């Protein structure tokens, strides 16, 4: 379970930074709306990062904690620090959220198989 949870944690951390990158570099006529929405997205992901790490610690699992470890585990591609339109940013967010939802469902299924009720319940949240 530790490997599975660390993969989810890494994907969340990298997605958090990618959203922050989009927040900083979004351009276009609806800049302020997009800027605020992207901030709300990364704030939400930040909270999930903390919850996943804390639940791991409650289960006596060791969460990875360095960028090197996160980047080695993730399948999320980092932001590139270039200007992005709100359409490009929102499309990338939708793809990433669909990927993360699939991953959460897989973590839940594995937790259910292993009677990991605390993790399973957190994945429902």
């Amino acid at each position: 379970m530790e490997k599975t949870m660390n993969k989810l944690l890494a994907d969340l951390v990298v997605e958090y930074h990618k959203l922050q990158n989009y927040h900083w570099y979004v351009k276009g006529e609806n800049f302020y709306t997009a800027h605020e929405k992207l901030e709300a997205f990364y704030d939400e992901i930040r909270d999930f990062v903390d919850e996943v790490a804390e639940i791991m610690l409650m289960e006596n699992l060791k969460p990875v904690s360095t960028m090197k470890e996160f980047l080695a585990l993730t399948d999320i591609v980092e932001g590139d620090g270039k200007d992005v339109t709100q359409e490009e940013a929102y499309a990338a967010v939708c793809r990433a959220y669909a990927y993360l939802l699939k991953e959460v469902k897989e973590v839940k299924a594995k937790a259910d198989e292993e009677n990991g009720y605390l993790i399973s319940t957190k994945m429902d949240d």
Side-chain angles (χ1 to χ4, degrees):
M1 197 76 228
E2 185 170 284
K3 183 178 178 180
T4 303
M5 291 295 288
N6 271 320
K7 170 75 169 69
L8 175 60
L9 182 62
D11 286 337
L12 289 168
V13 167
V14 175
E15 183 60 22
Y16 167 82
H17 286 286
K18 186 175 191 174
L19 287 164
Q20 201 169 48
N21 180 282
Y22 290 159
H23 169 77
W24 291 338
Y25 288 101
V26 69
K27 303 292 182 214
E29 64 184 56
N30 294 317
F31 165 80
Y32 290 106
T33 303
H35 188 73
E36 288 178 8
K37 189 62 178 172
L38 290 163
E39 183 174 2
F41 288 151
Y42 77 71
D43 284 345
E44 183 178 51
I45 293 287
R46 180 199 59 229
D47 292 344
F48 293 150
V49 167
D50 195 47
E51 289 175 15
V52 168
E54 287 176 354
I55 200 106
M56 289 181 71
L57 292 167
M58 286 182 217
E59 290 287 309
N60 294 316
L61 304 174
K62 184 177 181 351
V64 295
S65 61
T66 68
M67 289 307 295
K68 182 178 181 178
E69 291 170 307
F70 295 138
L71 291 171
L73 292 173
T74 191
D75 286 325
I76 301 284
V77 177
E78 291 183 279
D80 58 11
K82 295 181 181 175
D83 290 349
V84 62
T85 67
Q86 65 189 26
E87 292 84 3
E88 292 167 332
Y90 289 153
V93 168
C94 287
R95 285 190 304 273
Y97 275 35
Y99 167 79
L100 290 168
L101 178 59
K102 180 179 176 268
E103 188 173 18
V104 163
K105 288 178 179 180
E106 291 170 359
V107 169
K108 179 180 175 45
K110 183 168 182 158
D112 287 343
E113 287 174 14
E114 297 178 9
N115 296 320
Y117 303 115
L118 189 60
I119 292 172
S120 178
T121 300
K122 182 48 70 182
M123 294 304 109
D124 285 337
D125 293 345

